[in-house]
Amino acid sequence: MEKTVPGIGEITKGLPKNWGRWGAEDEVGSLNFLTQAEVLRGIASVKQGKTFTLQVQMGNPKGDPVWPGRNQAQRMNVLDEGHFLCGKGPAFPGGLHYADDVMFMYLQGSTQYDALGHVWCDEKLYNGFDANTTIGGMAKASVLPIAERGIVGRGVLIDMARYRGKTVLDPGETFTHEDLLAAAKKQGVSIEKHDVLVIRTGWIGSFYDRDRVEFYKNFVEPGLTFSPELVKWFHQMEIPNLVTDTIANEVTVDPVSGAALPLHIALMSNLGVTFTEIALLDPLAEDCAKDGQWSFLYVAAPLKVVNGSGAPVNPVVVK
Ligand code: UVW
């Protein structure tokens, strides 16, 4: 007999919500925890001056990892030397030639910040905004307020793949906040209140070496799995931002309820935790394993897309 999947509203009923905590019009949620003191705490974690960027390449000839059903970014030349050779380039005094190109892409088609209103259930977005406000462009809880604010704080990397002795976690492999704490202990680092939580699974890095059909077959990413305890832990820890090297930041289907992406509701929509997805964390993790420094300054400025449900970003880490 087919299992009946409960609604995510039902699964998350009675769990903490931050709606109204920062006022009825708030659109940046748990980023409110990143105060000036938190910026200074992030800066205090800089010890060596090493820098890392976390975005995947856009328009990589090997393909770009995207959620099934979305297309990868398409970049096209609209002006180059070919036009000038055919006499079709614009003529400027002094003989200047230049190249122009355009890109057509899903705003979630690269490393990106989701708007807090990107997902919803039961007709309500983050902070109780009406789902009808998404029609024709996000009038509420779009990515713009997140982009206007920027994200600066102390980040901590938890390498779950390394903890499990693997280069990459298996499809559908899950872990909990207890596993994060155990991995942190093994790494010799603490996850502190208000940390930007960065979790490596190895999944996005593996995309470039895998056969595409295999990557997307029975698509179930590894990741954090829903439990009331995990949601309460994020709430108590006041985590402002969850960054992972997977496309959707959590195991695709909750193995207990069978619901897809319940943490998108429990953490992003209900607590206002911002999600940064499709990060490439392998070079950073490699370096952290070598020098033993797993905490750092995390800085990110998603693009200022008006009414956007998300925006590409190239986060910078300074150790
Ligand atoms: C979906 O919206 C389905 O996923 P993501 O948060 O990865 O964009």
Side-chain angles (χ1 to χ4, degrees):
M1 214 168 64
E2 225 171 77
K3 190 175 157 188
T4 316
V5 177
I8 302 178
E10 195 55 39
I11 296 168
T12 55
K13 204 170 170 177
L15 290 174
K17 272 189 182 183
N18 282 331
W19 294 8
R21 181 170 183 164
W22 298 285
E25 291 304 315
D26 176 69
E27 297 172 298
V28 300
S30 292
L31 292 183
N32 283 293
F33 293 127
L34 292 180
T35 58
Q36 285 176 243
E38 292 301 333
V39 172
L40 294 177
R41 195 170 66 88
I43 290 169
S45 66
V46 176
K47 308 287 179 207
Q48 310 182 64
K50 290 182 186 171
T51 59
F52 298 84
T53 57
L54 306 186
Q55 190 188 12
V56 295
Q57 292 181 1
M58 296 165 78
N60 187 318
K62 288 184 176 175
D64 296 347
V66 289
W67 181 255
R70 292 181 185 146
N71 297 320
Q72 62 183 75
Q74 307 283 324
R75 193 200 60 78
M76 283 157 288
N77 270 20
V78 290
L79 182 66
D80 54 33
E81 184 59 15
H83 294 80
F84 293 98
L85 286 173
C86 301
K88 293 195 171 153
F92 285 100
L96 179 83
H97 289 188
Y98 60 95
D100 267 349
D101 40 10
V102 293
M103 191 168 249
F104 181 78
M105 67 176 294
Y106 276 81
L107 291 175
Q108 271 84 6
S110 184
T111 312
Q112 101 280 346
Y113 270 78
D114 278 341
L116 290 182
H118 170 53
V119 294
W120 62 92
C121 70
D122 302 333
E123 284 83 49
K124 293 282 178 219
L125 314 183
Y126 167 71
N127 220 11
F129 297 122
D130 194 299
N132 286 341
T133 59
T134 64
I135 296 173
M138 305 202 65
K140 295 286 183 186
S142 80
V143 78
L144 185 63
I146 293 174
E148 295 281 12
R149 192 181 196 288
I151 300 95
V152 183
R154 179 191 189 256
V156 61
L157 174 65
I158 305 300
D159 191 341
M160 283 309 300
R162 194 172 300 267
Y163 176 65
R164 297 238 167 115
K166 298 175 173 183
T167 48
V168 52
L169 296 186
D170 297 329
E173 183 170 347
T174 60
F175 50 88
T176 66
H177 63 296
E178 302 284 358
D179 294 317
L180 294 177
L181 292 171
K185 193 170 176 198
K186 194 164 174 203
Q187 291 173 199
V189 70
S190 303
I191 303 173
E192 297 177 6
K193 208 168 176 179
H194 302 159
D195 275 352
V196 174
L197 181 55
V198 185
I199 305 174
R200 176 176 175 270
T201 65
W203 186 252
I204 287 298
S206 79
F207 168 86
Y208 299 98
D209 302 324
R210 283 191 205 211
D211 176 71
R212 289 299 158 267
V213 176
E214 186 227 319
F215 185 83
Y216 283 109
K217 197 174 166 198
N218 304 324
F219 185 79
V220 190
E221 294 191 294
L224 278 173
T225 187
F226 171 85
S227 72
E229 293 72 28
L230 177 131
V231 177
K232 286 177 194 161
W233 181 78
F234 267 81
H235 184 238
Q236 276 158 17
M237 294 298 290
E238 299 182 341
I239 299 293
N241 190 178
L242 173 65
V243 183
T244 82
D245 63 345
T246 61
I247 299 172
N249 273 12
E250 61 177 302
V251 67
T252 310
V253 178
D254 170 26
V256 177
S257 65
L261 307 182
L263 290 178
H264 272 58
I265 296 299
L267 301 183
M268 190 202 298
S269 189
N270 289 354
L271 293 183
V273 177
T274 47
F275 275 26
T276 313
E277 301 171 319
I278 321 185
L280 187 68
L281 301 175
D282 302 344
L284 173 65
E286 205 51 48
D287 189 75
C288 294
K290 270 196 200 120
D291 68 13
Q293 185 184 338
W294 297 91
S295 61
F296 37 75
L297 174 67
Y298 174 94
V299 181
L303 301 182
K304 297 185 181 184
V305 184
V306 176
N307 300 137
S309 69
V313 69
N314 184 11
V316 176
V317 157
V318 189
K319 287 174 60 178

